[in-house]
Amino acid sequence: MVRSEKRPKSPDEAAAKATDSAQQHLCVTLVPLFNHLETADQQKINQLVSHRHFAKGEQILTPDGEPQLVIVARGNLKVYQLSAAGREQLLRVVEPGGYEGESQLFGAKNADLFAEALQPTEVCVLKQADFQELLLRYPQLSLKLLELTADKMTAVEQQTQFLLMEKVEERLAKYLTDLQVATTSSSLTIPMKMKELAAYLGTTPETLSRKFKLLEEKQLISRKGSRVTVLDTEGLEEL
DNA sequence: ACATTAAAAAGCA
DNA sequence: TGCTTTTTAATGT
Protein backbone atom coordinates (compact mmCIF):
# COMPACT_ATOMS: atom_id res chain seq x y z
CA MET A 1 0.00 0.00 0.00
CA VAL A 2 2.96 2.24 0.40
CA ARG A 3 5.85 2.73 -1.92
CA SER A 4 8.51 5.33 -1.48
CA GLU A 5 10.86 5.64 -4.35
CA LYS A 6 9.83 8.80 -6.09
CA ARG A 7 12.27 11.60 -6.40
CA PRO A 8 11.39 15.07 -7.49
CA LYS A 9 13.34 15.95 -10.58
CA SER A 10 15.72 18.83 -10.24
CA PRO A 11 13.66 22.01 -10.34
CA ASP A 12 14.78 24.79 -12.62
CA GLU A 13 16.33 27.38 -10.44
CA ALA A 14 14.89 30.37 -12.24
CA ALA A 15 13.81 33.50 -10.47
CA ALA A 16 12.55 32.04 -7.27
CA LYS A 17 11.00 34.65 -5.07
CA ALA A 18 12.50 34.04 -1.71
CA THR A 19 9.45 34.24 0.45
CA ASP A 20 10.28 32.06 3.40
CA SER A 21 13.19 29.70 3.65
CA ALA A 22 13.95 30.32 -0.01
CA GLN A 23 12.89 26.93 -1.32
CA GLN A 24 11.72 26.02 -4.80
CA HIS A 25 8.07 25.77 -5.72
CA LEU A 26 8.05 22.03 -5.57
CA CYS A 27 4.84 21.32 -3.76
CA VAL A 28 2.29 23.16 -5.80
CA THR A 29 3.38 21.70 -9.11
CA LEU A 30 3.94 18.30 -7.63
CA VAL A 31 0.67 17.69 -5.93
CA PRO A 32 -2.44 16.29 -7.60
CA LEU A 33 -4.52 18.77 -5.68
CA PHE A 34 -2.98 21.71 -7.49
CA ASN A 35 -1.15 20.55 -10.57
CA HIS A 36 -4.17 20.66 -12.82
CA LEU A 37 -4.36 24.43 -12.45
CA GLU A 38 -2.80 26.86 -14.87
CA THR A 39 0.75 27.89 -14.24
CA ALA A 40 -0.22 31.42 -13.38
CA ASP A 41 -2.60 30.21 -10.72
CA GLN A 42 -0.07 27.79 -9.35
CA GLN A 43 2.38 30.60 -8.89
CA LYS A 44 -0.14 32.60 -6.93
CA ILE A 45 -0.83 29.67 -4.70
CA ASN A 46 2.84 29.05 -4.29
CA GLN A 47 3.25 32.45 -2.76
CA LEU A 48 0.80 31.55 -0.06
CA VAL A 49 2.53 28.41 1.11
CA SER A 50 5.60 28.23 3.25
CA HIS A 51 8.16 25.58 2.54
CA ARG A 52 9.57 23.78 5.48
CA HIS A 53 11.99 20.97 6.09
CA PHE A 54 11.64 18.43 8.85
CA ALA A 55 14.24 16.01 10.10
CA LYS A 56 13.34 12.42 10.82
CA GLY A 57 11.22 12.11 13.91
CA GLU A 58 10.08 15.71 14.06
CA GLN A 59 6.44 16.48 14.71
CA ILE A 60 4.72 18.24 11.87
CA LEU A 61 1.14 18.16 13.01
CA THR A 62 -0.13 18.05 16.57
CA PRO A 63 -3.66 18.22 18.01
CA ASP A 64 -3.04 21.54 19.67
CA GLY A 65 -1.19 23.05 16.75
CA GLU A 66 -2.56 25.63 14.39
CA PRO A 67 -4.97 24.27 11.77
CA GLN A 68 -3.11 23.96 8.52
CA LEU A 69 -2.84 21.90 5.39
CA VAL A 70 0.42 20.05 5.00
CA ILE A 71 1.51 18.86 1.58
CA VAL A 72 4.37 16.42 1.21
CA ALA A 73 6.94 17.20 -1.46
CA ARG A 74 9.70 14.79 -0.53
CA GLY A 75 10.17 12.05 2.02
CA ASN A 76 7.13 10.82 3.84
CA LEU A 77 5.36 11.18 7.11
CA LYS A 78 3.24 9.00 9.29
CA VAL A 79 -0.13 10.01 10.60
CA TYR A 80 -1.23 8.43 13.83
CA GLN A 81 -3.28 8.90 16.94
CA LEU A 82 -2.58 7.95 20.49
CA SER A 83 -4.68 5.42 22.33
CA ALA A 84 -5.59 5.86 25.96
CA ALA A 85 -2.66 3.75 27.03
CA GLY A 86 -0.40 6.01 25.03
CA ARG A 87 0.10 3.41 22.37
CA GLU A 88 0.45 4.72 18.88
CA GLN A 89 -2.06 3.66 16.24
CA LEU A 90 -0.70 4.34 12.80
CA LEU A 91 -3.40 5.52 10.45
CA ARG A 92 -1.54 6.01 7.21
CA VAL A 93 1.72 7.01 5.64
CA VAL A 94 1.61 10.09 3.48
CA GLU A 95 3.87 10.08 0.46
CA PRO A 96 5.03 12.83 -1.88
CA GLY A 97 1.96 14.34 -3.48
CA GLY A 98 -0.21 13.50 -0.52
CA TYR A 99 -1.54 15.88 2.05
CA GLU A 100 -2.81 15.93 5.59
CA GLY A 101 -4.67 18.20 7.93
CA GLU A 102 -7.55 19.16 5.73
CA SER A 103 -10.16 17.89 8.12
CA GLN A 104 -9.29 20.56 10.63
CA LEU A 105 -9.60 23.12 7.90
CA PHE A 106 -13.16 22.01 7.39
CA GLY A 107 -13.90 22.67 11.00
CA ALA A 108 -13.72 19.10 12.24
CA LYS A 109 -12.08 19.17 15.61
CA ASN A 110 -9.78 16.26 15.38
CA ALA A 111 -8.53 16.08 18.90
CA ASP A 112 -5.77 13.55 18.67
CA LEU A 113 -4.06 13.51 15.33
CA PHE A 114 -0.31 13.56 15.02
CA ALA A 115 1.94 13.68 11.99
CA GLU A 116 5.61 12.94 12.18
CA ALA A 117 8.40 12.87 9.61
CA LEU A 118 9.56 9.35 8.79
CA GLN A 119 12.58 10.61 6.91
CA PRO A 120 14.02 14.00 6.16
CA THR A 121 10.94 15.49 4.59
CA GLU A 122 10.05 18.58 2.61
CA VAL A 123 6.57 19.91 3.10
CA CYS A 124 4.51 22.88 2.11
CA VAL A 125 2.26 24.41 4.69
CA LEU A 126 -0.90 26.30 3.91
CA LYS A 127 -2.65 28.24 6.63
CA GLN A 128 -6.32 27.81 7.28
CA ALA A 129 -7.43 31.26 6.23
CA ASP A 130 -5.42 31.18 3.02
CA PHE A 131 -6.74 27.78 2.12
CA GLN A 132 -10.36 28.75 2.57
CA GLU A 133 -9.81 31.72 0.37
CA LEU A 134 -8.31 29.47 -2.27
CA LEU A 135 -11.30 27.18 -2.24
CA LEU A 136 -13.61 30.11 -2.78
CA ARG A 137 -11.51 31.46 -5.55
CA TYR A 138 -11.00 28.19 -7.39
CA PRO A 139 -14.15 26.08 -7.23
CA GLN A 140 -12.37 23.39 -9.24
CA LEU A 141 -10.14 22.93 -6.24
CA SER A 142 -13.08 21.99 -4.09
CA LEU A 143 -14.09 19.30 -6.52
CA LYS A 144 -10.59 17.94 -6.76
CA LEU A 145 -10.27 17.96 -3.02
CA LEU A 146 -13.51 16.08 -2.71
CA GLU A 147 -12.27 13.45 -5.10
CA LEU A 148 -8.96 13.01 -3.34
CA THR A 149 -10.58 12.93 0.06
CA ALA A 150 -12.88 10.18 -1.12
CA ASP A 151 -9.83 8.12 -2.02
CA LYS A 152 -8.45 8.72 1.41
CA MET A 153 -11.63 7.55 3.04
CA THR A 154 -11.43 4.32 1.11
CA ALA A 155 -8.02 3.72 2.60
CA VAL A 156 -9.35 4.44 6.06
CA GLU A 157 -12.10 1.88 5.53
CA GLN A 158 -9.49 -0.71 4.75
CA GLN A 159 -7.63 0.19 7.89
CA THR A 160 -10.78 -0.27 9.94
CA GLN A 161 -11.35 -3.63 8.35
CA PHE A 162 -7.97 -4.67 9.59
CA LEU A 163 -8.94 -3.99 13.14
CA LEU A 164 -12.26 -5.75 12.74
CA MET A 165 -10.50 -8.97 11.90
CA GLU A 166 -9.91 -10.42 15.25
CA LYS A 167 -6.67 -12.28 14.77
CA VAL A 168 -3.33 -10.67 14.11
CA GLU A 169 -2.44 -13.56 11.86
CA GLU A 170 -5.34 -12.71 9.57
CA ARG A 171 -4.52 -9.04 9.52
CA LEU A 172 -0.94 -9.74 8.57
CA ALA A 173 -2.01 -12.18 5.87
CA LYS A 174 -4.41 -9.66 4.39
CA TYR A 175 -1.81 -6.94 4.49
CA LEU A 176 0.66 -9.15 2.65
CA THR A 177 -1.79 -10.23 -0.03
CA ASP A 178 -2.83 -6.62 -0.59
CA LEU A 179 0.78 -5.65 -0.96
CA GLN A 180 1.35 -8.50 -3.35
CA VAL A 181 -1.52 -7.41 -5.54
CA ALA A 182 -0.13 -3.90 -5.57
CA THR A 183 3.25 -5.05 -6.81
CA THR A 184 1.99 -7.74 -9.21
CA SER A 185 4.83 -9.92 -8.07
CA SER A 186 5.35 -12.61 -5.50
CA SER A 187 8.35 -10.78 -4.12
CA LEU A 188 7.72 -7.66 -2.14
CA THR A 189 9.35 -5.30 0.33
CA ILE A 190 7.68 -4.05 3.48
CA PRO A 191 7.76 -0.28 3.07
CA MET A 192 8.08 0.52 6.75
CA LYS A 193 9.85 -0.60 9.85
CA MET A 194 8.49 -3.64 11.63
CA LYS A 195 7.70 -1.52 14.60
CA GLU A 196 5.44 0.63 12.45
CA LEU A 197 3.83 -2.26 10.66
CA ALA A 198 2.99 -3.62 14.08
CA ALA A 199 1.31 -0.35 14.99
CA TYR A 200 -0.49 -0.32 11.67
CA LEU A 201 -1.85 -3.79 12.26
CA GLY A 202 -2.76 -2.90 15.79
CA THR A 203 -0.29 -5.17 17.52
CA THR A 204 3.18 -5.20 19.00
CA PRO A 205 6.50 -5.83 17.25
CA GLU A 206 6.94 -8.97 19.33
CA THR A 207 3.70 -10.54 18.24
CA LEU A 208 4.32 -9.48 14.66
CA SER A 209 7.70 -11.18 14.72
CA ARG A 210 6.13 -14.39 15.95
CA LYS A 211 3.43 -14.27 13.30
CA PHE A 212 5.99 -13.85 10.59
CA LYS A 213 7.81 -16.86 11.86
CA LEU A 214 4.58 -18.80 11.98
CA LEU A 215 3.78 -17.99 8.37
CA GLU A 216 7.26 -19.07 7.39
CA GLU A 217 6.85 -22.36 9.19
CA LYS A 218 3.62 -22.92 7.33
CA GLN A 219 5.58 -22.42 4.12
CA LEU A 220 3.30 -19.60 3.09
CA ILE A 221 6.03 -17.04 2.81
CA SER A 222 9.76 -16.67 3.11
CA ARG A 223 11.49 -13.62 4.46
CA LYS A 224 14.84 -12.00 4.82
CA GLY A 225 14.51 -8.78 6.74
CA SER A 226 11.82 -6.67 5.15
CA ARG A 227 12.08 -8.60 1.92
CA VAL A 228 9.16 -11.03 1.69
CA THR A 229 8.36 -13.62 -0.93
CA VAL A 230 4.92 -15.13 -1.10
CA LEU A 231 5.14 -18.87 -1.67
CA ASP A 232 1.51 -19.82 -1.38
CA THR A 233 -0.89 -17.07 -2.37
CA GLU A 234 -3.99 -19.20 -1.93
CA GLY A 235 -3.03 -20.42 1.49
CA LEU A 236 -2.38 -16.88 2.54
CA GLU A 237 -5.73 -15.67 1.28
CA GLU A 238 -7.58 -18.36 3.15
CA LEU A 239 -6.76 -16.67 6.41
C1' DA B 1 -4.39 -15.32 21.96
C1' DC B 2 -1.91 -11.30 23.01
C1' DA B 3 0.40 -7.97 25.82
C1' DT B 4 4.25 -6.77 28.69
C1' DT B 5 8.72 -6.79 30.29
C1' DA B 6 13.38 -7.80 29.88
C1' DA B 7 17.22 -9.14 27.49
C1' DA B 8 19.84 -11.10 23.64
C1' DA B 9 20.84 -10.77 18.78
C1' DA B 10 21.19 -8.45 14.58
C1' DG B 11 21.69 -4.14 11.88
C1' DC B 12 23.45 0.14 10.91
C1' DA B 13 26.16 4.55 10.93
C1' DT C 1 31.57 0.88 18.71
C1' DG C 2 27.34 2.73 20.36
C1' DC C 3 22.76 3.22 19.21
C1' DT C 4 18.48 1.39 17.10
C1' DT C 5 15.64 -2.32 15.48
C1' DT C 6 14.19 -7.05 15.65
C1' DT C 7 13.83 -11.42 17.85
C1' DT C 8 13.52 -14.57 21.80
C1' DA C 9 12.00 -15.91 26.24
C1' DA C 10 9.36 -15.61 30.60
C1' DT C 11 5.32 -14.18 32.71
C1' DG C 12 0.88 -11.86 33.08
C1' DT C 13 -4.20 -10.80 31.46
Side-chain angles (χ1 to χ4, degrees):
Chain A
M1 176 191 245
V2 241
R3 289 269 61 205
S4 58
E5 258 139 56
K6 285 265 181 69
R7 59 167 5 135
K9 50 199 75 163
S10 62
D12 22 296
E13 182 70 278
K17 296 193 179 180
T19 30
D20 266 316
S21 42
Q23 289 291 348
Q24 298 85 347
H25 29 292
L26 283 176
C27 308
V28 174
T29 55
L30 207 73
V31 165
L33 182 58
F34 292 124
N35 65 8
H36 63 289
L37 293 176
E38 295 172 22
T39 322
D41 290 333
Q42 288 188 7
Q43 284 174 351
K44 282 182 201 159
I45 294 173
N46 195 60
Q47 292 178 339
L48 293 177
V49 309
S50 54
H51 305 258
R52 300 193 54 191
H53 177 87
F54 289 92
K56 173 187 150 202
E58 274 191 283
Q59 307 260 192
I60 298 175
L61 226 54
T62 56
D64 42 272
E66 180 186 7
Q68 55 190 10
L69 180 73
V70 175
I71 302 166
V72 179
R74 196 169 57 81
N76 42 56
L77 49 88
K78 64 174 175 180
V79 179
Y80 62 95
Q81 52 192 7
L82 255 33
S83 72
R87 229 167 54 87
E88 153 185 336
Q89 171 62 55
L90 213 178
L91 293 180
R92 56 183 159 269
V93 173
V94 185
E95 305 196 294
Y99 58 89
E100 191 57 54
E102 80 286 357
S103 53
Q104 285 98 315
L105 297 183
F106 299 151
K109 11 209 152 200
N110 225 326
D112 46 24
L113 209 65
F114 292 83
E116 183 181 314
L118 236 40
Q119 303 158 14
T121 299
E122 306 274 353
V123 302
C124 290
V125 175
L126 196 48
K127 300 223 177 312
Q128 179 173 38
D130 292 336
F131 184 65
Q132 287 180 348
E133 195 181 319
L134 274 182
L135 288 184
L136 291 176
R137 185 145 163 212
Y138 303 100
Q140 355 159 23
L141 267 191
S142 308
L143 292 177
K144 195 70 182 176
L145 187 64
L146 211 52
E147 178 188 329
L148 293 175
T149 304
D151 287 347
K152 237 166 88 169
M153 286 178 61
T154 308
V156 170
E157 277 177 22
Q158 282 211 330
Q159 171 63 14
T160 344
Q161 279 192 352
F162 270 153
L163 302 177
L164 284 180
M165 294 187 273
E166 56 294 347
K167 296 169 67 178
V168 174
E169 204 175 319
E170 297 175 2
R171 282 176 249 163
L172 176 57
K174 171 155 179 51
Y175 175 81
L176 288 176
T177 51
D178 283 354
L179 209 61
Q180 185 193 8
V181 169
T183 56
T184 64
S185 153
S186 62
S187 168
L188 50 93
T189 302
I190 309 281
M192 51 186 146
K193 289 181 297 193
M194 298 303 269
K195 181 180 150 194
E196 288 161 348
L197 177 57
Y200 182 73
L201 297 177
T203 185
T204 59
E206 292 88 343
T207 296
L208 179 62
S209 171
R210 291 182 195 105
K211 293 310 174 186
F212 263 119
K213 196 165 76 176
L214 192 131
L215 290 183
E216 284 186 285
E217 282 166 0
K218 286 188 178 179
Q219 307 279 318
L220 296 179
I221 64 169
S222 73
R223 179 176 74 119
K224 47 182 189 303
S226 60
R227 194 78 204 168
V228 175
T229 305
V230 177
L231 302 175
D232 183 352
T233 307
E234 289 193 1
L236 207 56
E237 283 172 345
E238 286 186 26
L239 299 174

